[in-house]
Amino acid sequence: MEREIRSIEVAVGVVVSTFAIGKEIRGEFIEDIIIHDGVFKLYNRKDELITEINYPVLRVKYRYDGGGGSA
């Protein structure tokens, strides 16, 4: 079963921030979130890297093919 990252929650100091598909960051909308070598990377609709997330990740929500669950 294939899964797609829908959002991540990260600890930025004492604040928890959520980065999700469709959310705007740095003037661009997040179209894809991938993890590569332990680093989460956010991409726009042109497949251009917006930013890399280097903060502690608290939670990752996925979308699975054939359903809308999370893990």
Side-chain angles (χ1 to χ4, degrees), residues 21-41:
I21 301 294
K23 189 172 180 180
E24 187 176 357
I25 179 175
R26 297 184 181 174
E28 299 190 59
F29 288 95
I30 301 169
E31 285 291 322
D32 197 14
I33 302 171
I34 66 163
I35 185 168
H36 180 73
D37 291 335
V39 177
F40 287 89
K41 297 181 180 188

Side-chain angles (χ1 to χ4, degrees), residues 5-12 15-25 30 33 42 53 55-61:
I5 298 173
R6 300 306 296 161
S7 67
I8 58 174
E9 291 182 0
V10 299
V12 183
V15 176
V16 174
S17 294
T18 301
F19 298 94
I21 301 294
K23 189 172 180 180
E24 187 176 357
I25 179 175
I30 301 169
I33 302 171
L42 311 180
I53 304 299
Y55 298 108
V57 175
L58 303 174
R59 181 168 36 178
V60 179
K61 290 187 179 179

